[in-house]
């Protein structure tokens, strides 16, 4: 049995939210959210705690009913066809759900048995998944001895037992160290390369930038921006050309050269650094030539582009590290 996920046939979205609304009493957690995710791509649902990300995922995965609106997963309506939706998706929540008293191999076999996978197929599949997620060396250790990153990888492996075409990941790297986070990113890239469609919620701007083909920014239950990582960053302003000269005495002549681009130049004397807005690589190459021809030695030259954090701050007036709790999550 292959662990390769398949994509939704045709041009229809693999995941689609249609005017989703969720209220808890007088509180509106999600307010008219709509988006579509093409097959074999990654959507990053970005926002702070309290934005409505988890509530949106719970509605799309049939864990909670929308107050109004609907969603479609792999072509099936979450309200009218919840069983079909569940058969065509996987879900990894914020907390690993594997049994800590069982080994990694036993966890996979137990969940596989619940899926009704034949024992012969399950033996082969468990080996493939353990290898795919770099857990073969720990397959027969109890899960409570695993690191946080290993538990998350096992949780993902279990969610792929039925080879779902669509996978929902709700803040999958929360609490992981940088190395474990990077390792999990590589696993997710491999799944997408095999055809899986991912919806990823995250507070980590770098994570969305690394993994997502398209990003939906949500704040206080509403979508406030949508686009590719590059498109969103371009909204936050132009790139900056940053030059660090080797000698403080060269700051003024270097400033005069940068000013020839027509941009205002900011000079940080202590750091021997000059900064000016730029249109891109052409400006950097041109300025580098001018500096070389003028005999000015530089320690560093490069482009600094706006980050997704800059985008979020511009859109909302606050960072994604808002400490409020998510309503209804």
């Amino acid at each position: 049995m292959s662990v390769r996920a398949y994509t939704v046939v045709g041009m229809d979205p693999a995941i689609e939210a249609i005017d989703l609304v969720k209220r808890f009493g007088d509180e509106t957690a999600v307010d008219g959210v709509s988006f579509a995710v093409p097959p074999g791509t990654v959507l990053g649902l970005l926002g702070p705690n309290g934005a409505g990300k988890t509530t949106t995922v719970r509605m799309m995965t049939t864990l909670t009913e929308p107050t109004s609106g609907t969603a479609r997963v792999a072509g099936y309506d979450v309200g009218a066809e919840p069983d079909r939706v569940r058969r065509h998706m996987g879900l990894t929540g914020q907390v690993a759900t594997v049994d800590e008293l069982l080994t990694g191999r036993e966890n996979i076999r137990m969940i596989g048995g619940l899926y009704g996978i034949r024992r012969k197929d399950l033996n082969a599949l468990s080996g493939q998944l353990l290898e795919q997620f770099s857990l073969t060396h720990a397959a027969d250790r109890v899960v409570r001895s695993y690191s946080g990153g290993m538990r998350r990888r096992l949780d993902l492996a279990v969610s792929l037992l039925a080879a779902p075409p669509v996978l929902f990941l709700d803040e999958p790297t929360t609490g992981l160290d940088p190395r474990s986070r990077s390792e999990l990113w590589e696993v997710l890239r491999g799944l997408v390369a095999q055809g899986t469609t991912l919806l990823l919620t995250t507070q980590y701007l770098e994570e969305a930038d690394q993994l997502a083909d398209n990003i939906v920014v949500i704040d206080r239950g509403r979508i406030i921006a949508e686009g590719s990582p590059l498109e969103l960053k371009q909204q936050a302003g132009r790139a900056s050309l940053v030059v660090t000269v080797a000698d403080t005495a060269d700051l003024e002549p270097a400033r005069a050269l940068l000013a020839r681009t027509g941009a205002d130049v900011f000079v940080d004397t202590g750091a021997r650094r000059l900064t000016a807005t730029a249109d891109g690589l052409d400006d950097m190459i041109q300025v580098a030539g001018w500096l070389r021809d003028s005999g000015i030695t530089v320690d560093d030259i490069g482009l600094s582009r706006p980050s997704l954090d800059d985008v979020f701050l511009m859109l909302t007036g606050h960072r994604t590290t808002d400490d409020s709790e998510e309503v209804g999550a």
Side-chain angles (χ1 to χ4, degrees), residues 16 38 42 59 64 75 78 88 91 120 122 130 132 134 141 150 154 215 250 256 266 278 298 300:
E16 187 175 16
V42 181
M59 287 188 286
T64 188
V78 298
H88 289 80
L91 170 64
K120 179 181 178 181
L122 188 55
L130 289 164
Q132 180 180 1
S134 301
R141 283 169 41 194
M150 292 167 68
L154 180 60
I215 293 173
D250 286 328
F266 174 77
V298 300
D300 193 27

Side-chain angles (χ1 to χ4, degrees), residues 78-157:
V78 298
E81 305 166 289
D83 290 340
R84 288 181 178 271
V85 169
R86 287 190 284 268
R87 284 199 294 269
H88 289 80
M89 52 145 275
L91 170 64
T92 298
Q94 294 182 19
V95 179
T97 56
V98 290
D99 191 323
E100 293 188 348
L101 299 179
L102 299 178
T103 67
R105 194 186 308 277
E106 288 169 343
N107 266 281
I108 292 176
R109 287 178 175 173
M110 177 185 70
I111 301 300
L114 294 175
Y115 276 124
I117 300 173
R118 293 184 305 174
R119 179 173 296 182
K120 179 181 178 181
D121 292 331
L122 188 55
N123 287 337
L125 184 56
S126 61
Q128 291 178 47
L129 286 169
L130 289 164
E131 182 177 357
Q132 180 180 1
F133 287 88
S134 301
L135 291 170
T136 302
H137 68 288
D140 298 310
R141 283 169 41 194
V142 293
V143 171
R144 66 184 174 191
S145 70
Y146 283 16
S147 67
M150 292 167 68
R151 294 186 192 195
R152 296 303 284 166
R153 295 203 302 274
L154 180 60
D155 211 28
L156 268 175

Side-chain angles (χ1 to χ4, degrees), residues 219-238:
D219 191 37
R220 296 178 176 89
R222 296 184 177 182
I223 291 176
I224 58 175
E226 183 175 3
S228 69
L230 180 58
E231 288 170 343
L232 291 179
K233 285 186 283 188
Q234 287 174 339
Q235 293 182 25
R238 298 168 62 190

Side-chain angles (χ1 to χ4, degrees), residues 3-290:
V3 300
R4 182 180 176 88
Y6 56 90
T7 59
V8 181
V9 177
M11 299 301 293
D12 292 337
I15 307 171
E16 187 175 16
I18 306 163
D19 295 325
L20 280 175
V21 174
K22 184 64 179 180
R23 298 188 183 93
F24 297 94
D26 294 333
E27 297 287 344
T28 301
V30 177
D31 191 4
V33 165
S34 298
F35 55 78
V37 188
T41 66
V42 181
L43 175 72
L45 193 58
L46 179 66
N49 286 334
K53 305 185 304 297
T54 294
T55 303
T56 298
V57 168
R58 287 178 63 83
M59 287 188 286
M60 302 192 78
T61 55
T62 76
L63 293 177
T64 188
E65 291 186 9
T67 303
S68 63
T70 190
R72 298 178 69 84
V73 176
Y76 300 105
D77 189 283
V78 298
E81 305 166 289
D83 290 340
R84 288 181 178 271
V85 169
R86 287 190 284 268
R87 284 199 294 269
H88 289 80
M89 52 145 275
L91 170 64
T92 298
Q94 294 182 19
V95 179
T97 56
V98 290
D99 191 323
E100 293 188 348
L101 299 179
L102 299 178
T103 67
R105 194 186 308 277
E106 288 169 343
N107 266 281
I108 292 176
R109 287 178 175 173
M110 177 185 70
I111 301 300
L114 294 175
Y115 276 124
I117 300 173
R118 293 184 305 174
R119 179 173 296 182
K120 179 181 178 181
D121 292 331
L122 188 55
N123 287 337
L125 184 56
S126 61
Q128 291 178 47
L129 286 169
L130 289 164
E131 182 177 357
Q132 180 180 1
F133 287 88
S134 301
L135 291 170
T136 302
H137 68 288
D140 298 310
R141 283 169 41 194
V142 293
V143 171
R144 66 184 174 191
S145 70
Y146 283 16
S147 67
M150 292 167 68
R151 294 186 192 195
R152 296 303 284 166
R153 295 203 302 274
L154 180 60
D155 211 28
L156 268 175
V158 167
S159 71
L160 292 174
L161 272 166
V166 175
L167 186 59
F168 291 88
L169 304 171
D170 192 11
E171 301 191 13
T173 62
T174 296
L176 298 187
D177 61 76
R179 178 178 178 180
S180 295
R181 183 175 296 133
S182 179
E183 289 174 348
L184 193 55
W185 288 351
E186 287 304 310
V187 170
L188 296 178
R189 290 188 184 103
L191 294 178
V192 175
Q194 292 175 346
T196 306
T197 303
L198 301 184
L199 188 150
L200 169 79
T201 78
T202 182
Q203 296 180 69
Y204 298 118
L205 296 139
E206 182 187 9
E207 187 160 271
D209 205 0
Q210 286 278 338
L211 297 175
D213 299 294
N214 201 50
I215 293 173
V216 167
V217 183
I218 186 170
D219 191 37
R220 296 178 176 89
R222 296 184 177 182
I223 291 176
I224 58 175
E226 183 175 3
S228 69
L230 180 58
E231 288 170 343
L232 291 179
K233 285 186 283 188
Q234 287 174 339
Q235 293 182 25
R238 298 168 62 190
S240 296
L241 176 60
V242 183
V243 177
T244 303
V245 297
D247 191 336
T248 303
D250 286 328
L251 280 172
E252 177 52 33
R255 186 205 62 76
L257 288 176
L258 266 68
R260 288 168 57 183
T261 65
D264 293 330
V265 183
F266 174 77
V267 180
D268 183 341
T269 303
R272 295 176 280 107
R273 184 181 301 122
L274 306 98
T275 305
T277 56
D279 287 329
L281 287 174
D282 288 344
D283 279 354
M284 187 183 77
I285 293 170
Q286 186 177 47
V287 168
W290 292 343

